[in-house]
């Protein structure tokens, strides 16, 4: 039903266009706080490693990773406006629509995607690309709302993730994705799931 509503209202079932996100980021209308999530992510990142922030937006997490972990960071987002702002602050950026990650195989120690998969038509293709660009033995981290913000409540969302759904999706890549800690964390602050 939510897809029919979006089709009637917007003329498309997925409203996540470059223009939409350029406007959202330029007007700073995305005001969510992920203190606990970012803390969990930072605990997994050693100092000085190569990190890819997939769906970085305006770089809230990227800025913290660079500041606290002195990482060699590459930021990837759909929004050219957001990437331009990050370039002004000295970040390496790539504008690309997921699932396309136009980077070489095994180029990063860590790839992280926070609150991205629920916006995508096919998040599994993005996971596959993240696996491709992370070195063997590296870490892939992702977070999604946990059984919250259904697509009829949050029009940007294409999927509702539950613990079982994200585990099933990630288990296809178990040897590559769930590497170092092999844990799924259930967050309380924003009902997120962090898979490492």
């Amino acid at each position: 039903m939510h897809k029919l509503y979006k089709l009637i209202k917007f003329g498309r079932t997925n409203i996540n266009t470059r223009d939409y996100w350029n406007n959202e980021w330029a007007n700073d209308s995305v005001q969510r706080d992920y203190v606990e999530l970012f803390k969990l992510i930072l605990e997994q990142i050693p100092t000085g490693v190569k990190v890819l922030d997939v769906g970085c937006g305006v770089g809230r997490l990227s800025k913290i990773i660079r500041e606290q972990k002195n990482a060699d960071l590459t930021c990837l987002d759909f929004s050219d406006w957001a990437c331009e702002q990050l370039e002004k602050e000295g970040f390496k950026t790539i504008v690309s629509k997921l699932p396309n990650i136009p980077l070489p195989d095994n180029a990063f120690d860590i790839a992280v995607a926070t609150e991205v998969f629920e916006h995508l038509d096919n998040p599994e293709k993005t996971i596959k690309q993240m696996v491709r660009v992370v070195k063997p033995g590296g870490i892939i981290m992702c977070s999604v709302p946990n059984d919250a913000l259904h697509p009829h409540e949050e029009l940007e969302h294409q999927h509702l993730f539950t613990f079982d759904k994200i585990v099933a999706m990630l288990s296809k890549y178990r040897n590559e994705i769930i590497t170092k800690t092999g844990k799924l964390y259930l967050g309380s602050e924003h009902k997120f799931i962090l898979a490492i």
Side-chain angles (χ1 to χ4, degrees):
M1 186 61 118
H2 67 278
K3 288 190 177 194
L4 178 60
Y5 170 77
K6 287 190 263 189
L7 183 62
I8 292 168
K9 182 170 178 145
F10 303 106
R12 56 186 310 130
T13 58
N14 188 336
I15 65 171
N16 293 295
T17 65
R18 179 167 283 130
D19 288 341
Y20 176 84
W21 281 104
N22 282 342
N23 183 59
E24 289 294 301
W25 293 127
N27 293 309
D28 203 20
S29 60
V30 182
Q31 291 293 326
R32 296 187 181 119
D33 186 16
Y34 298 106
V35 174
E36 289 300 313
L37 172 62
F38 289 1
K39 181 180 172 192
L40 279 173
I41 290 169
L42 289 170
E43 288 172 1
Q44 303 301 317
I45 300 176
T47 302
V49 295
K50 288 187 76 168
V51 178
L52 174 64
D53 188 353
V54 176
C56 64
V58 292
R60 287 187 178 104
L61 176 60
S62 301
K63 292 172 187 176
I64 295 169
I65 292 171
R66 184 171 72 176
E67 178 183 300
Q68 293 187 20
K69 297 298 182 171
N70 192 31
D72 179 359
L73 196 63
T74 300
C75 303
L76 183 144
D77 201 86
F78 185 33
S79 167
D80 50 350
W81 185 90
C83 287
E84 286 171 15
Q85 305 316 301
L86 288 169
E87 285 175 5
K88 291 176 186 175
E89 296 181 45
F91 285 92
K92 290 184 282 186
T93 66
I94 296 173
V95 177
S96 184
K97 181 177 181 180
L98 295 172
N100 186 34
I101 299 179
L103 293 163
D105 295 356
N106 305 317
F108 296 90
D109 302 297
I110 296 171
V112 60
T114 57
E115 312 302 298
V116 173
F117 296 153
E118 64 273 16
H119 298 273
L120 304 176
D121 289 323
N122 190 334
E124 288 187 51
K125 287 183 179 179
T126 297
I127 292 171
K128 189 173 183 178
Q129 286 293 301
M130 291 172 73
V131 168
R132 182 186 60 75
V133 301
V134 170
K135 298 172 186 173
I139 301 172
I140 294 177
M141 293 184 265
C142 59
S143 69
V144 293
N146 181 14
D147 201 13
L149 302 174
H150 190 281
H152 72 270
E153 298 171 307
E154 187 75 40
L155 294 178
E156 300 157 356
H157 291 184
Q158 301 302 304
H159 301 277
L160 176 68
F161 285 98
T162 61
F163 182 82
D164 290 339
K165 185 174 179 179
I166 195 77
V167 168
M169 190 170 75
L170 294 173
S171 67
K172 296 173 186 175
Y173 304 95
R174 186 167 201 86
N175 292 335
E176 293 136 357
I177 285 190
I178 303 176
T179 53
K180 289 212 173 182
T181 62
K183 297 178 183 174
L184 286 170
Y185 298 94
L186 287 176
S188 57
E189 187 174 323
H190 293 286
K191 294 187 176 182
F192 63 84
I193 299 170
L194 175 63
I196 301 173

